Amino acid sequence: MNMTTTVEKPDNKETKVLIIEDEAQITRLIELELKYEGYEVVTATDGVEGLKSIREGEPDLVLLDCMLPNLSGEEVCQQVRDDSDNVPIIMITAKDSIEDRVKGLDFGADDYLVKPFATEELLARIRAVLRRKPKEQAGTLSYHDLWLDQFNRVARRGEEVLELRSKEFSLLRVFMMNPEKYLTREFLFNKVWGYDFIGESNVIEVYIRYLRSKLKEKTLGKLIHTKRGEGYMLRKPDLK
Ligand code: CA
């Protein structure tokens, strides 16, 4: 009779975790624990190398130290989100202050862990963040009745696929990444056209008009709201 109880380990083999950390000892420790749990692990020792590894290596999750040479953890996080990359990021830091936590989350991190931490805590956070962002949803955004696939560049309102031109798609994507927030013309211009804003240009107004028409606002309800001096906001029709 076999009396041993086996605890089934989750199958983490397909999950690639990138550790960006300049302290070799910490990296080594986390790496060993994660490999023991079955994760695939890659490492980077500074911000620049880490950012490159995120862009080229497409990890499933990033453990990002705040204090890094060349490019700080916050800067890495911000640039990743500017790339419209939704990869889950857990920031790791020695700084234990509310302000730093909030700052990290503002830059688009998914969670925060303060050094020193227990391995079990780290593993639990990793599982939680991965659960929240399942792989198959990577690259898609949704808000209200809008859905957008960033990789295949497909957008829908309800069941209907929207016939968007390239800039219209990019503009909608920026709104969907920043819902329920007023976005200035300058912000939108820099995100979509990518060069310095020309103050008198009415290109934003023109494209907002195109987008509104393609979103069928007249029949399906208003999504893009305007406020003089503040800019434009993506908001559900019934939300005040
Ligand atoms: Ca460090």
Side-chain angles (χ1 to χ4, degrees):
M1 206 200 298
N2 187 355
M3 295 292 287
T4 53
T5 321
T6 55
V7 179
E8 213 158 295
K9 284 237 176 86
D11 183 14
N12 296 321
K13 251 185 288 194
E14 301 289 308
T15 308
K16 179 158 60 168
V17 178
L18 168 65
I19 307 168
I20 310 176
E21 165 68 83
D22 58 323
E23 285 162 77
Q25 229 181 329
I26 296 177
T27 306
R28 179 100 191 104
L29 214 77
I30 301 175
E31 188 178 2
L32 282 174
E33 295 289 352
L34 291 183
K35 280 187 170 164
Y36 180 75
E37 291 293 315
Y39 291 101
E40 186 188 329
V41 178
V42 279
T43 61
T45 55
D46 71 52
V48 172
E49 192 197 326
L51 188 61
K52 193 164 173 267
S53 188
I54 293 172
R55 284 172 173 163
E56 291 168 10
E58 297 183 355
D60 297 293
L61 184 131
V62 181
L63 295 177
L64 178 58
D65 184 32
C66 279
M67 304 278 274
L68 287 169
N70 298 328
L71 206 60
S72 78
E74 283 97 347
E75 286 168 317
V76 171
C77 193
Q78 200 167 25
Q79 291 208 21
V80 169
R81 295 305 182 231
D82 279 351
D83 291 347
S84 310
D85 187 339
N86 282 329
V87 63
I89 296 175
I90 300 177
M91 302 281 282
I92 296 176
T93 182
K95 299 178 288 185
D96 185 13
S97 77
I98 297 290
E99 200 184 317
D100 288 327
R101 283 179 200 231
V102 171
K103 210 164 73 182
L105 296 173
D106 270 355
F107 287 144
D110 294 272
D111 205 351
Y112 219 90
L113 208 54
V114 176
K115 286 183 206 168
F117 50 81
T119 307
E120 282 310 314
E121 173 78 12
L122 172 68
L123 295 174
R125 299 285 183 99
I126 289 176
R127 284 192 298 267
V129 167
L130 285 172
R131 249 198 322 270
R132 253 185 286 157
K133 292 200 171 172
K135 241 187 209 175
E136 54 274 19
Q137 276 181 18
T140 69
L141 298 168
S142 58
Y143 177 78
H144 185 51
D145 57 355
L146 289 172
W147 178 89
L148 182 146
D149 178 340
Q150 302 187 66
F151 296 136
N152 298 308
R153 295 183 77 82
V154 178
R156 287 198 312 250
R157 181 161 189 189
E159 292 301 304
E160 201 174 336
V161 174
L162 305 172
E163 301 289 337
L164 301 177
R165 285 180 294 181
S166 172
K167 293 293 184 209
E168 295 163 353
F169 182 91
S170 303
L171 189 59
L172 180 61
R173 187 178 67 174
V174 175
F175 277 116
M176 288 182 70
M177 290 181 76
N178 305 276
E180 296 174 14
K181 258 190 264 180
Y182 278 110
L183 307 176
T184 63
R185 290 160 71 218
E186 185 174 12
F187 178 85
L188 292 169
F189 195 90
N190 287 336
K191 289 285 177 198
V192 175
W193 281 266
Y195 45 94
D196 286 338
F197 182 62
I198 305 147
E200 293 306 308
S201 165
N202 69 343
V203 69
I204 296 292
E205 285 81 349
V206 171
Y207 272 85
I208 294 278
R209 206 156 58 226
Y210 293 154
L211 193 56
R212 276 181 170 146
S213 143
K214 294 197 175 171
L215 291 170
K216 300 199 169 60
E217 287 198 338
K218 285 204 172 106
T219 48
L220 298 176
K222 200 173 166 79
L223 287 175
I224 298 172
H225 301 255
T226 314
K227 194 171 180 183
R228 190 176 278 275
E230 299 266 0
Y232 301 94
M233 181 197 283
L234 175 67
R235 198 178 67 208
K236 295 175 211 180
D238 53 348
L239 198 74
K240 288 290 161 230

